[in-house]
Amino acid sequence: MSDKDASTPRVFLARHGETEWTINGRYTGITELPLTPNGAQQVLGTGKVVVGPSKLIDPSKLAHIFISPRRRAQETFLLLFGDESQKALSSEGKVTTTEKLAEWDYGLYEGKMTREIRAMRKEHGLDAERPWDIWRDGCEEGESAAEVTARLDSLIEEIHAFQAANMHGERSCDVVLVAHGHLLRAFVKRWLKYPMEFPLSMMLPPGGIGMLRNASFEPGGWLDEPTLSSTPLLDLRIRPRMNLYTSDDNFASFIIDASISYTNGDPYYSTIYDKENKVTKAFTKLFIDISVADTGLDLVSNVNVTVNTTANEFQFSLANLPAQYEPYNITVIGASQDGNQSYIAETQLYRLPTRSDGGSITKIDSLYGGLMVQDYTTNSTEWSYLLPYSYYVSWDGWLSLNLSNVEYFKSKGYNIIHIVPNAGLANEAFNFTVLNEFLDRCDEVGLWVMYDMRWTYQNLSSVAYQVDIINSRKSMLLWYTGDEPDGQVDPLNATKITYDLIKSVDPWHPVSLCLNCYNYYYEEYSSGADIILEDVYPIAVNTSYSVQYDTVCNTTYGCCGCDDCDGNFEDISTRLDLFASYQDWIGGSPKPFWGVPQAFGNETFWSRYPTQDEEVVMNMLSINHDAKGIVMWDWPTEPDLASVTSDLAKTLVAANVTKFLLGSHTTGLGVHGQKRIDAAAWTVGKQMLVSIVNLEYSDSSAEISITLPATASSIETVAWGPGGWTVGNNGTIAKEGIQGLEVDLILLKLK
């Protein structure tokens, strides 16, 4: 990651890594605790990504480093910078250990949890009218907010002295602070000239990094499109069709892309020399050989693909690839006919042993992005597509209250259930006795489970325990780890560490997470998942000013509930399209993206619930922009939203619709006659499914036409919406007038 915008002085905030007391939520001030092994890994992972020459924190550009005297901060400094850099910085007099950065002195509250502190204060006759707030009330026999303010203001004066003469990049003078959670949040408030009691929304978890500049919080982590090449490149890529095969599979296939690009790939020259005929010809065919890298075993040879094509599929036998838990390393070599231009790409192929414990297996189809499962309720060995359609469902607020809710939820048409764990429990997960009863019911009725570890995913021992007891369930579909790890500023390597642990125990199920931010360390956080969800919530929200925090919201500052949003439906399609672009920019294989439509309101930033029409628009707009699953936030929801999404569930998960959405590529369609109509199509054989979504609230009488990728002969069925479309003779469908927020899903017969 390059440091693209370091022209003005910055202050980097580094929170120490995890300790035993950060795990269990005890206030840690003067107590000297070491980092846990996981805490050390958090810091090392962050340092690897952001510290070093030409990275976000370049030691050569630092004016000074201030460190808290506490052991956990000192260890973090050493791990973050490494021996060589820290010795060089120390020898230059650029490192200062200062009590000004020591954590808040908690006094009587040292080592206690919030609930214990509030109980103590109640015994002392305090807080009769309002609960304790450290930012306002300070700590008994410890520091007050005013005392913390005084020492931080003094430190800020020192930093300003370092940076005052270089506010326009005259020379590099970045500053790093290595300190603690409460103290760094207090520092940000004072840097922004806010009083301590100001409700600033900022989370900096153990091992996290933040950045300040010019009295604004600069998050960093922006992923830019790669620099354009002045000449064309051939971007050769390879991936298995399925993310995993098993010993029951006899054949597999590879997907080969050979696109012409100006951002990724190797130089491409458009001509070759035909030695036999002594003529120059166009370079249009790339000859392909695919083999196992370690053994040289040929899997596919003597085939070719057309230059500037994608999704070329080649089947091969698995007979010579015994099932094993380790992946096979695969190499593809592509060459021009004259042999003067060659290209190479690599991937990994998994052929796993078949499960013997009765547990399920979930495959990801990398060609179209959908999930494939076996119907265990009928003991089927056939693989079929599954379009996940559901809600995030409250465990303690609904499910655990009556386990017959499992059957009720299934009856509404939802085919998976995402259970949100209970953060209020000591294990921040579930009562596992009751959970097992719930899972028994899911197994019985065939309701797939999306298992959520949002509160515990950085607690590796807890993750290992949960994966071990859950992964062999028949109804287990996939894991969910980080819930907005980017918005929570979790350590950059946190999701990948947990991903690797899960896969070491359970290689049969994919891992998912949800990203909240428009563009914040996408590559790092997404590396810890097979499936990425986005949660843009654009209904009834003010995206320019936060009443909640009384601040403006812009690209680098403020929280308005929807990061870098405009507050319209297009926020959803834009985010999905951007995530797909980010995945391409980093040179990775395509990942499935799922939508998280808003099904809540009357809280914090959102002044009302969506209407039924708005809910359907958000759902189908996500589908139109290649979302391969829908999991709405959250259940229980309003009765009218439950009703309409139940109807939509029964439409979308039906086999005659799913076979299009997951069995072919999504094609965006051109719409004429009115703006803000979004349309997409999916073609299978001689049929085409078309989705039309009107983003305007008002009715229109305009003549609207939609250009199709193939000519239709008739409309077979209207799966959703009022319909009224007619088939034209010129490869279009048309309609006179359209209702506000109208959504149509129609099946066409092709000529």
Side-chain angles (χ1 to χ4, degrees):
M1 180 186 62
S2 64
D3 177 15
K4 70 179 182 65
D5 187 18
S7 60
T8 58
R10 302 166 297 182
V11 178
F12 294 101
L13 314 175
R15 184 181 175 188
H16 65 74
E18 174 191 272
T19 69
E20 287 298 330
W21 282 11
T22 58
I23 294 174
N24 55 35
R26 297 187 181 278
Y27 282 67
T28 318
I30 61 174
T31 304
E32 293 290 14
L33 294 176
L35 302 183
T36 63
N38 184 51
Q41 285 300 119
Q42 290 172 336
V43 177
L44 286 170
T46 299
K48 182 179 179 180
V49 174
V50 303
V51 179
S54 299
K55 293 184 178 180
L56 184 66
I57 301 176
D58 187 336
S60 68
K61 295 181 179 180
L62 295 180
H64 212 80
I65 300 176
F66 294 95
I67 313 169
S68 161
R70 301 285 83 85
R71 174 180 175 179
R72 54 198 183 275
Q74 295 287 321
E75 289 181 2
T76 296
F77 164 63
L78 295 176
L79 292 170
L80 199 60
F81 285 90
D83 290 341
E84 185 176 339
S85 291
Q86 66 92 6
K87 287 178 181 177
L89 290 163
S90 296
S91 67
E92 295 171 7
K94 292 184 176 181
V95 180
T96 297
T97 295
T98 174
E99 286 287 344
K100 294 176 183 178
L101 276 180
E103 181 58 295
W104 202 304
D105 182 351
Y106 297 124
L108 295 180
Y109 309 154
E110 182 76 10
K112 299 187 182 303
M113 292 182 280
T114 301
R115 65 176 182 272
E116 296 172 325
I117 296 170
R118 287 180 172 165
M120 175 190 290
R121 288 177 63 88
K122 187 175 181 180
E123 291 175 0
H124 295 173
L126 302 172
D127 308 328
E129 297 181 357
R130 57 189 181 185
W132 172 68
D133 181 348
I134 192 173
W135 306 106
R136 178 189 63 235
D137 304 319
C139 302
E140 293 178 87
E141 299 186 18
E143 283 186 294
S144 67
E147 288 171 322
V148 175
T149 295
R151 60 183 170 100
L152 288 178
D153 286 354
S154 174
L155 178 62
I156 288 170
E157 288 181 10
E158 290 186 55
I159 294 171
H160 285 164
F162 277 112
Q163 297 183 337
N166 300 283
M167 293 307 295
H168 303 290
E170 291 83 355
R171 66 181 179 88
S172 300
C173 55
D174 292 336
V175 169
V176 176
L177 311 183
V178 185
H180 313 268
H182 265 133
L183 197 284
L184 288 174
R185 275 182 280 170
F187 181 90
V188 172
K189 291 183 181 187
R190 294 309 301 144
W191 182 268
L192 299 175
K193 303 185 186 306
Y194 291 141
M196 284 294 186
E197 62 269 24
F198 183 80
L200 180 66
S201 176
M202 173 193 164
M203 291 297 295
L204 197 61
I209 297 284
M211 182 169 68
L212 294 164
R213 178 170 61 209
N214 288 343
S216 68
F217 189 76
E218 176 80 26
W222 197 268
L223 179 65
D224 289 313
E225 183 175 7
T227 303
L228 294 178
S229 169
S230 60
T231 58
L233 308 172
L234 195 152
D235 187 12
L236 178 64
R237 302 190 192 188
I238 180 174
R239 62 188 187 275
R241 169 76 186 262
M242 296 295 165
N243 70 313
L244 65 88
Y245 296 91
T246 73
S247 54
D248 290 336
D249 295 310
N250 297 318
F251 293 91
S253 60
F254 289 116
I255 306 300
I256 300 291
D257 297 334
S259 58
I260 298 299
S261 171
Y262 285 85
T263 57
N264 298 88
D266 295 304
Y268 165 77
Y269 304 97
S270 61
T271 59
I272 59 173
Y273 184 67
D274 183 344
K275 293 181 181 178
E276 184 177 344
N277 297 305
K278 298 181 179 180
V279 295
T280 298
K281 300 194 305 185
F283 176 14
T284 60
K285 295 292 182 182
L286 187 69
F287 291 83
I288 295 294
D289 287 290
I290 305 173
S291 61
V292 179
D294 300 330
T295 65
L297 174 68
D298 284 333
L299 299 177
V300 178
S301 58
N302 300 317
V303 298
N304 65 75
V305 299
T306 301
V307 171
N308 205 25
T309 61
T310 60
N312 300 283
E313 186 171 6
F314 297 99
Q315 191 178 70
F316 63 96
S317 171
L318 289 168
N320 295 317
L321 297 176
Q324 60 184 38
Y325 288 102
E326 293 299 315
Y328 288 94
N329 295 311
I330 305 298
T331 300
V332 58
I333 298 176
S336 59
Q337 187 175 2
D338 61 4
N340 290 332
Q341 299 183 57
S342 61
Y343 307 86
I344 189 168
E346 298 174 340
T347 191
Q348 290 187 320
L349 174 75
Y350 282 89
R351 192 187 190 200
L352 298 172
T354 300
R355 301 195 72 161
S356 59
D357 57 5
S360 62
I361 298 174
T362 304
K363 293 185 177 183
I364 300 175
D365 177 6
S366 75
L367 182 59
Y368 301 125
L371 297 187
M372 300 197 76
V373 296
Q374 294 167 309
D375 184 358
Y376 65 85
T377 62
T378 62
N379 295 316
S380 174
T381 59
E382 297 298 316
W383 291 96
S384 58
Y385 286 116
L386 178 79
L387 178 71
Y389 190 88
S390 187
Y391 282 83
Y392 290 76
V393 180
S394 171
W395 172 255
D396 51 304
W398 190 70
L399 265 178
S400 65
L401 303 180
N402 188 338
L403 292 183
S404 64
N405 284 333
V406 171
E407 288 83 356
Y408 174 80
F409 196 75
K410 171 77 172 179
S411 72
K412 300 292 287 184
Y414 310 118
N415 56 3
I416 77 167
I417 189 164
H418 182 133
I419 46 175
V420 179
N422 185 355
L425 294 177
N427 65 9
E428 296 185 300
F430 301 98
N431 176 326
F432 287 106
T433 300
V434 180
L435 179 70
N436 275 314
E437 296 175 12
F438 158 77
L439 293 173
D440 286 342
R441 289 186 176 237
C442 290
D443 287 349
E444 291 168 7
V445 304
L447 182 61
W448 293 100
V449 173
M450 187 173 186
Y451 189 85
D452 189 324
M453 294 185 282
R454 66 179 60 206
W455 311 120
T456 56
Y457 91 92
Q458 295 186 66
N459 182 338
L460 299 185
S461 59
S462 177
V463 170
Y465 174 77
Q466 293 178 76
V467 174
D468 184 60
I469 65 173
I470 301 296
N471 86 85
S472 60
R473 282 284 180 173
K474 292 180 180 180
S475 56
M476 177 61 192
L477 183 68
L478 77 162
W479 304 102
Y480 182 89
T481 57
D483 186 70
E484 303 181 349
D486 50 349
Q488 302 296 336
V489 202
D490 290 350
L492 298 180
N493 61 342
T495 62
K496 185 61 166 63
I497 289 173
T498 302
Y499 177 89
D500 291 341
L501 172 60
I502 292 173
K503 290 295 185 177
S504 71
V505 180
D506 175 18
W508 296 284
H509 296 112
V511 177
S512 66
L513 56 77
C514 184
L515 295 181
N516 169 255
C517 296
Y518 182 88
N519 189 343
Y520 183 69
Y521 290 110
Y522 172 86
E523 181 173 6
E524 289 78 10
Y525 288 121
S526 69
S527 68
D530 304 298
I531 297 167
I532 307 297
L533 289 78
E534 61 76 27
D535 59 354
V536 169
Y537 302 140
I539 301 300
V541 61
N542 184 339
T543 60
S544 60
Y545 190 84
S546 172
V547 176
Q548 189 81 1
Y549 297 113
D550 194 26
T551 62
V552 298
C553 293
N554 54 42
T555 303
T556 62
Y557 182 70
C559 178
C560 281
C562 192
D563 188 50
D564 279 8
C565 294
D566 293 324
N568 55 40
F569 293 118
E570 286 87 350
D571 290 327
I572 295 170
S573 51
T574 297
R575 190 69 55 90
L576 285 165
D577 294 347
L578 278 172
F579 279 7
S581 295
Y582 298 162
Q583 191 63 26
D584 182 62
W585 293 352
I586 64 178
S589 295
K591 288 187 177 183
F593 299 105
W594 293 9
V596 184
Q598 176 184 345
F600 68 94
N602 294 340
E603 63 175 79
T604 57
F605 307 100
W606 299 274
S607 61
R608 63 172 176 83
Y609 277 77
T611 65
Q612 286 186 318
D613 288 343
E614 288 171 330
E615 192 64 49
V616 174
V617 165
M618 289 188 288
N619 273 258
M620 292 309 300
L621 186 60
S622 300
I623 295 289
N624 281 10
H625 287 262
D626 222 22
K628 299 303 179 181
I630 296 292
V631 187
M632 291 162 278
W633 182 271
D634 60 339
W635 184 281
T637 186
E638 292 287 276
D640 60 337
L641 296 185
S643 174
V644 74
T645 57
S646 173
D647 292 341
L648 189 57
K650 294 167 185 175
T651 298
L652 294 179
V653 306
N656 63 336
V657 172
T658 295
K659 74 173 184 179
F660 290 93
L661 301 180
L662 301 184
S664 61
H665 293 292
T666 305
T667 302
L669 304 181
V671 180
H672 311 280
Q674 181 174 311
K675 297 179 180 179
R676 300 193 75 208
I677 294 180
D678 193 282
W682 300 262
T683 303
V684 175
K686 287 291 187 179
Q687 291 179 307
M688 180 187 297
L689 184 71
V690 178
S691 168
I692 304 143
V693 182
N694 182 17
L695 309 184
E696 290 285 0
Y697 282 82
S698 56
D699 297 347
S700 170
S701 59
E703 178 73 24
I704 300 161
S705 66
I706 299 175
T707 303
L708 304 174
T711 302
S713 60
S714 62
I715 293 176
E716 292 191 357
T717 58
V718 177
W720 187 272
W725 296 86
T726 59
V727 174
N729 295 322
N730 54 350
T732 64
I733 54 173
K735 181 177 182 177
E736 185 173 342
I738 192 169
Q739 298 172 15
L741 302 186
E742 179 178 326
V743 173
D744 292 296
L745 190 62
I746 60 178
L747 184 62
L748 305 176
K749 183 178 181 180
L750 301 180
K751 289 186 177 180

